[in-house]
């Protein structure tokens, strides 16, 4: 074993960074044995130097991360600041000054992964980011390495713990969205401003990263179709249950049937209770991968939290350090397929549509005609008179019509819904939800 | 990209090998792009040269695997013959003659992994064997690399598809062991001689491999406690259901509470229905990993079959080829902790015991005294008169007594059972099963 230590600069010492530092100290001997050389924390960059940070030598603290990465003696930079800048500039400087990088920064990787990978390759460094997607769950490495000899056709994942917690509460307690969100906030599962989670931005960043790796192409954040889950209601859960489904916010990356393009999207969807992802409870994450030779795989675990995320960061740290010692680099970006990313309209999926319609003869025929005109075939229809509306409606009663379609292009499905809204017998479209996982 | 191809020798072209060859041909361009150089099938060793092998150039076929690995121009040897010899000798020759090795051979790895790793290290080659445990499921790589910065405390897995299929059938259809085995055989899930599967030998080999990697120590096949599942009955499933459990054949690797030793074992066990492994159906495999920082992770997928196993082999092939090109080697054996493996008696677990006892006052007190004398505390007792036995029994009726214990050392538990057998009010011990996963 080499006795001269590898030097690690830690950028950020918050939820994740403080756990990285703690484990590096607590398990220093194990890490040294596994790497083949000791690792030394050479500096810790933060914003607030005065904050008490248990277990961290105050002499290591700096508010000048740029100076730290430019020192020239740093072997590995661990970036756990988050956000675009200064993280992006710091990572690039790190490569230029001899360091490989481990990051947990999904936002940055989704936005600028290609440029960062190119910089890493130019300088012959590693860029690892297992922690950026689904926290502690080994996912990037299995996709990039274990499945390197296979052809992935589909990735279907619950990659945001906050929204899974909220949807699980709505499902199991009957709570509405706001009530479930309040509980998530009280328990620390949701941030004060939950937008990034509930509007699907966080999941979309992860979908972009996963799709790129799974299909060996480049998928930009803008390529990912995104719909949040703030409009999911208790009524939607009732409809889902009636179909033997639950509702999950899914990140879905798919190769088109003809293999010539890929899609990536994030939206709430009904999922059969028999699907392995349906039983993922609370804030857990899980990702389902379908590949040609391996078949159906699932990876499950905690998707966030300081210590789980630190586990992923440290796994990468060990790998990057070993590569340094062996004067090698791990697998870099693989985007050779150059597959284009198709728009949402080309995704082939199923819709569950609830309509409020006039309760009179001929309505179903009218509605069915609209579906047929758009080339969408209907799987099941359930029609129900709504006695509560009988008195107030002007032209007779109101009924609700629940239509579940067969698979069709999303454009045809949304065209159908648009046309339905134009029918005067359709009083309103109560909800639309995609049905996945079959 | 390098144009000179890397040369691969395929040893064995059966269920797994034929799929490896097929995918290497079908996805040659993808493999080349991912590796950075083309890979060429340089030779295929089999036993029966006359057999028609679709898609394989007959000129590549040889019955002399030794000559093939000694050619000197082979970069990677893929060993999918199975068994100890000639596989072991061929792998060693491969290292000596410049090749790295990918193998799917759990029996050999469990028996001689340490010596093979040493040989690989001596010659500076790679030895990869993701396919040896749980087929297509990425498991060795996640344990060895993704969790390299974490401390694994427990691995709990369903690692044999044949026995999971049988137990699942028994659970869902009420079939007995023999009937379920017959169905497994008819469907090709069980071999003509199912001993290796149903007696737990296959799972024990995987447990030895997993425990060694998880705890960074050496675990020999003989260190693994092994009990098959041929004696599990429909009555056991009924008892399990009464406790909210199912029965699975589990491979369990644990670090002792004091951290000073490890254990590895394979046996049928009751598992709460709420445990993620309880819902693993049919021939699927799944492995649950508990680590200090990451928490609870689960990996799920097909544990066997030609094409899933080939996926794992090819993932390793890509990694090993990349290492070759980069003149590096991947992580080798990590056994630095040198933790001793304790005997089964030291495992701390729970028992579910069904006793046939005389239906008369004082029996429960007698039985409870035996538990107390062995330091085993009782969680629940259920006593039931068995009217069907009233007439035939000589001294009054017979009752059944079901005792579920709290956690205690296995030695104390089996000592208790031994003493119970000695009581004359205990007519028989109907079944003993461990309870896990809580
Ligand atoms: N938290 C999770 O569960 C989780 C899971 C997966 C991935 N991640 C990712 O991990 C990264 C870090 O997340 P986190 O939750 O640990 O964030 P955090 O708790 O907000 O910590 C951020 C850290 O960066 C420091 N920092 C902020 N701006 C800085 C600047 N300009 N220069 C130097 N230091 C600066 C902060 O300093 P002060 O301490 O002085 O404020 C703090 O130590 C993000 O990319 C996030 O997406 C987090
Ligand atoms: N099958 C699975 O689902 C699975 C899953 C995980 C791991 N594995 C492992 O993968 C390995 C291969 O399994 P398999 O199911 O593919 O076995 P298999 O179908 O029996 O194939 C064995 C192959 O090895 C050849 N062979 C046997 N002895 C030989 C010798 N002395 N010299 C040269 N070739 C010889 C056979 O030649 P012929 O074709 O001429 O008979 C055959 O092609 C085993 O280690 C097994 O444990 C298998």
């Amino acid at each position: 074993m080499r006795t001269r230590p590898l030097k690690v600069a830690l950028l950020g010492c918050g939820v994740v960074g403080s756990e990285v530092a703690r484990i590096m100290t607590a398990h220093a001997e194990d890490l040294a044995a596994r790497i083949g050389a000791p690792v030394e924390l050479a500096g810790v960059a933060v914003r607030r130097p005065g904050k008490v940070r248990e277990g961290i030598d105050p002499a290591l603290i700096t508010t000048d991360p740029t100076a730290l990465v430019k020192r020239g003696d740093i072997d590995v930079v661990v970036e756990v600041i988050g956000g675009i800048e200064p993280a992006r500039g710091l990572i690039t400087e790190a490569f230029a000054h001899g360091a490989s990088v481990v990051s947990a920064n999904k936002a940055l990787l989704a936005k600028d992964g290609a440029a960062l990978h190119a910089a890493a390759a130019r300088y012959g460094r590693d860029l690892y980011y297992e922690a950026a997607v689904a926290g502690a769950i080994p996912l990037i490495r299995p996709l990039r390495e274990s499945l390197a000899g296979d052809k992935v056709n589909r990735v279907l994942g619950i990659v945001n713990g906050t929204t899974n917690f909220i949807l699980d509460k709505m499902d199991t307690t009957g709570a509405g969205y706001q009530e479930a969100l309040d509980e998530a906030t009280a328990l620390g599962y949701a941030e004060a401003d939950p937008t990034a989670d509930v509007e699907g931005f966080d999941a979309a960043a992860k979908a972009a990263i996963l799709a790129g790796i799974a299909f060996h192409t480049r998928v930009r954040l803008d390529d990912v179709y995104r719909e949040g889950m703030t409009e999911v209601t208790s009524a939607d859960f009732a409809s889902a249950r009636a179909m033997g489904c639950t509702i999950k916010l899914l990140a879905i990356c798919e190769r088109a049937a003809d293999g010539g393009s890929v899609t990536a999207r994030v939206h709430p969807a009904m999922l059969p209770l028999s699907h392995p992802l349906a039983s993922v409870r609370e804030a857990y994450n899980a990702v389902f991968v379908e590949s040609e030779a391996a078949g159906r795989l699932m990876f499950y675990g905690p998707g966030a939290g300081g210590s789980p995320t630190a586990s992923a960061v440290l796994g990468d740290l060990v790998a990057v350090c070993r590569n340094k010692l062996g004067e090698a680099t791990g697998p870099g970006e693989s985007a050779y397929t150059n597959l284009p990313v198709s728009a949402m309209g080309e995704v082939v999926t199923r819709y569950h549509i609830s309509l409020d319609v006039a309760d009179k003869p001929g309505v179903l025929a009218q509605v069915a005609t609209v579906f047929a005109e758009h080339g969408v075939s209907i799987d099941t229809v359930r029609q129900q008179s709504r006695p509560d509306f009988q008195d107030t409606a002007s032209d007779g009663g109101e009924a609700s019509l629940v239509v579940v379609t067969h698979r069709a292009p999303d454009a045809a499905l949304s065209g159908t819904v648009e046309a339905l809204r134009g029918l005067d017998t359709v009083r309103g479209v109560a909800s639309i939800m995609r049905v996945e996982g079959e």
Side-chain angles (χ1 to χ4, degrees), chain A residues 1-378:
Chain A
M1 182 151 100
R2 187 177 110 164
T3 52
R4 186 163 53 82
L6 287 154
K7 293 192 178 174
V8 175
L10 185 61
L11 310 185
C13 193
V15 174
V16 179
S18 61
E19 275 298 302
V20 171
R22 187 189 63 74
I23 298 173
M24 279 183 68
T25 308
H27 294 302
E29 285 178 33
D30 283 309
L31 292 172
R34 296 174 192 183
I35 291 167
V39 276
E40 176 188 304
L41 201 53
V44 180
V46 299
R47 214 169 16 190
R48 296 164 299 167
K51 188 163 180 272
V52 176
R53 302 180 197 263
E54 213 188 318
I56 292 177
D57 178 355
L60 295 178
I61 298 287
T62 170
T63 53
D64 189 347
T66 308
L68 180 57
V69 302
K70 285 184 167 177
R71 260 170 54 171
D73 65 338
I74 302 295
D75 294 290
V76 184
V77 165
V78 174
E79 183 278 304
V80 279
I81 292 177
I84 306 303
E85 290 293 355
R88 178 170 53 192
L90 292 168
I91 291 175
T92 312
E93 288 293 350
F95 292 143
H97 289 82
S100 281
V101 172
V102 175
S103 171
N105 194 333
K106 51 217 154 200
L108 177 58
L109 265 307
K111 189 174 189 299
D112 281 316
L116 292 173
H117 270 295
R122 193 160 54 246
Y123 291 107
R125 320 278 182 231
D126 274 329
L127 171 61
Y128 277 47
Y129 45 89
E130 182 66 80
V133 182
I137 310 176
L139 200 58
I140 306 272
R141 183 175 278 104
L143 278 174
R144 201 193 283 290
E145 304 183 39
S146 307
L147 290 167
D150 205 334
K151 185 173 180 188
V152 175
N153 287 321
R154 199 151 190 253
V155 178
L156 193 74
I158 295 170
V159 293
N160 182 275
T162 307
T163 49
N164 200 57
F165 182 89
I166 295 171
L167 291 169
D168 184 36
K169 281 295 148 205
M170 291 177 71
D171 192 15
T172 52
T173 69
Y177 165 71
Q178 189 60 48
E179 195 187 330
L181 170 61
D182 290 347
E183 187 176 346
T185 312
L187 291 171
Y189 287 121
E191 294 183 44
D193 176 0
T195 312
D197 294 318
V198 300
E199 294 296 352
F201 291 103
D202 174 77
K206 293 165 179 170
I209 296 172
L210 287 178
I213 294 175
F215 305 130
H216 298 265
T217 190
R218 275 190 193 143
V219 178
R220 293 169 315 121
L221 194 46
D222 291 346
D223 295 328
V224 182
Y225 173 84
R226 182 193 52 74
E227 227 175 80
M229 45 68 73
T230 58
E231 281 164 29
V232 177
T233 64
S234 317
D236 291 326
F237 273 102
S239 304
R241 256 189 300 277
M243 284 184 64
C245 287
T246 184
I247 299 173
K248 295 290 185 190
L249 183 72
L250 297 178
I252 305 177
C253 313
E254 282 175 321
R255 191 187 289 277
D258 69 1
S261 63
V262 301
T263 52
R265 53 194 166 118
V266 168
H267 55 73
M270 292 186 184
L271 192 75
L273 291 173
S274 58
H275 194 284
L277 289 180
S279 49
V280 175
R281 304 285 314 276
E282 309 221 301
Y284 274 88
N285 283 15
V287 177
F288 199 73
V289 177
E290 290 179 28
S291 74
E292 207 172 87
R296 308 168 128 226
L297 302 170
M298 188 172 80
F299 304 82
Y300 167 96
S307 122
T309 308
S311 170
V313 167
L314 286 161
D316 280 352
L317 180 68
V318 170
V320 165
C321 286
R322 278 178 178 155
N323 290 344
K324 272 260 160 188
L325 288 183
E327 289 172 16
T329 51
E333 188 189 30
S334 174
Y336 70 93
T337 63
N338 275 316
L339 288 170
V341 186
S342 302
M344 187 61 195
E346 291 178 42
V347 165
V348 175
T349 180
R350 297 174 65 197
Y351 270 25
H352 175 286
I353 306 166
S354 290
L355 302 171
D356 294 327
V357 298
D359 191 2
K360 59 183 188 190
V363 174
L364 179 54
Q366 246 187 336
V367 165
T369 303
V370 170
F371 278 89
E373 283 168 359
H374 287 81
V376 174
S377 102
I378 291 177

